[in-house]
Amino acid sequence: MLTILDRYILKRYLVTFLGMLLLFVPIGIMANLAEKIGKIIDNEAPLMEVIQFYGNFTLVIGNLLLPIFLFLSIIFFTSKLASNTEIVAILSSGVSYSRFLRPYLIGATLVAILIFMMGMFIVPHASIGYNEFEYKYFKRGRQDRVTSNIFNQLNENDYIYVSSFDPNRKIGYNFTYEHFDSIKKLDYKISATNIRWVEKDSTYRLTNYVKRKLRNDVELIETQRRLDTLFTFKIEDLTPVSYVAETKNLFELNEFIKDQQRKGASNVNAYVLVKYKRWALPIAAFILTIIAVAVSSVKRRGGMGLNLAFGIGVAFIYIFFDKVFGTLAEQSGFSPLLAVVIPNLIFGVFAIYMLMKAKR
């Protein structure tokens, strides 16, 4: 049952958080528009596509920064409570610090549910339009997928490899296709200098085709200068776009990761990292809430300005740790789970320390 104190703090919590969103999200849109307006005009992006992009931009970027907005809003309104000696009055009336913290945790729970639902089901759909617009108008000429040393397991018996892949020309170089029998013994192997998708005929064209069959320890070799044939895979499936994990909801992402792990995809860590980050964001809402309350509930000479400066500093450090460990997981084989856990663990310990200090 919510008391008058709970309703009072929770109302201030949610109203300030909403006000922070309404203040900073338009600022973020205007800042991005000011930076990208030249490319939008030069590339003649249609107005409706630009409007849709910034709608998607609001959801994608806003969801990532929700814990930070939450953190700063708590510091803002709790510092006002402290400067008005309201917190001193509340604690002096016999309310324990843990009890005082309860409405903040209720608010953090509501925000965490919002972050979870957005991150798992709403933002993935928005991410499709957001990334497609980025690569179409802002990152023209850049590859949106891995294009070298691509290895895929199509099923339990078939494997393919290309040393490089050109998605624009739909051609892969140094192509290899291996088929194994039911006892996992190599049945035949196809190799070619390149494999090209011929859209007009809906076939694959292999250049310098060589097929080696193993029959009773005898190797049979078949060669052709050029061969048009069919395969069960699509040429685009050799490598998905780099942001594919961001476009899938909770259930789709789990299935996609399993499929990529079965295929032995080289960049599967990046997909797993996206999954763990979605789970970590709601937890971050609780950690940052505790730090914000602990910092701003004590009246200081510097007042709200000092608290906000501290809050912005903590927010930047949190983002820095998140980026560093995320990059390690994507590029060096570092565990994606640890890349997500370590920053939250560090700030979780810091939150407990600040809370104990505030209680004293």
Side-chain angles (χ1 to χ4, degrees), residues 150-175:
I150 300 161
F151 173 84
N152 266 331
Q153 180 180 349
L154 302 176
N155 50 54
E156 293 183 357
N157 304 102
D158 298 299
Y159 301 80
I160 57 174
Y161 170 83
V162 291
S163 63
S164 61
F165 174 65
D166 184 342
N168 296 321
R169 299 172 61 197
K170 296 184 178 180
I171 182 171
Y173 298 92
N174 299 319
F175 171 74

Side-chain angles (χ1 to χ4, degrees), residues 22-220:
L22 295 176
L23 174 65
F24 282 102
V25 168
I27 291 174
I29 292 174
M30 295 305 297
N32 185 272
L33 182 59
E35 179 188 353
K36 302 293 180 61
I37 188 66
K39 291 184 178 180
I40 291 174
I41 294 173
D42 291 342
N43 295 319
E44 299 179 347
L47 178 61
M48 284 307 301
E49 287 190 31
V50 174
I51 294 173
Q52 289 174 359
F53 168 75
Y54 280 104
N56 294 325
F57 172 88
T58 300
L59 292 173
V60 173
I61 303 301
N63 183 66
L64 290 175
L65 296 178
L66 277 180
I68 304 300
F69 290 150
L70 173 67
F71 181 61
L72 295 177
S73 63
I74 292 172
I75 288 179
F76 180 78
F77 88 83
T78 305
S79 294
K80 289 187 68 175
L81 293 179
S83 64
N84 295 333
T85 65
E86 292 180 69
I87 295 177
V88 173
I90 291 170
L91 298 178
S92 299
S93 67
V95 175
S96 67
Y97 198 90
S98 298
R99 178 63 184 81
F100 166 70
L101 196 61
R102 192 177 84 165
Y104 287 94
L105 295 179
I106 294 173
T109 301
L110 296 176
V111 174
I113 292 172
L114 173 65
I115 293 173
F116 177 83
M117 296 304 297
M118 286 187 63
M120 294 298 187
F121 300 104
I122 300 173
V123 173
H125 179 72
S127 185
I128 298 173
Y130 171 78
N131 282 288
E132 286 179 351
F133 190 93
E134 280 269 322
Y135 278 96
K136 184 177 180 180
Y137 296 109
F138 299 154
K139 299 179 179 179
R140 299 184 76 171
R142 298 188 193 179
Q143 296 293 346
D144 59 355
R145 62 187 79 207
V146 177
T147 57
S148 60
N149 295 322
I150 300 161
F151 173 84
N152 266 331
Q153 180 180 349
L154 302 176
N155 50 54
E156 293 183 357
N157 304 102
D158 298 299
Y159 301 80
I160 57 174
Y161 170 83
V162 291
S163 63
S164 61
F165 174 65
D166 184 342
N168 296 321
R169 299 172 61 197
K170 296 184 178 180
I171 182 171
Y173 298 92
N174 299 319
F175 171 74
T176 300
Y177 183 105
E178 294 180 343
H179 175 75
F180 292 81
D181 59 23
S182 57
I183 59 173
K184 299 301 178 182
K185 183 179 178 180
L186 182 63
D187 184 25
Y188 63 84
K189 178 179 179 179
I190 296 173
S191 59
T193 305
N194 60 61
I195 177 172
R196 181 192 299 269
W197 171 248
V198 183
E199 190 168 359
K200 180 179 65 174
D201 301 325
S202 298
T203 60
Y204 290 96
R205 178 165 295 165
L206 303 179
T207 304
N208 296 327
Y209 163 84
V210 177
K211 183 175 183 179
R212 291 179 169 85
K213 296 180 182 179
L214 296 177
R215 297 293 181 267
N216 298 323
D217 297 327
V218 176
E219 186 178 44
L220 305 176

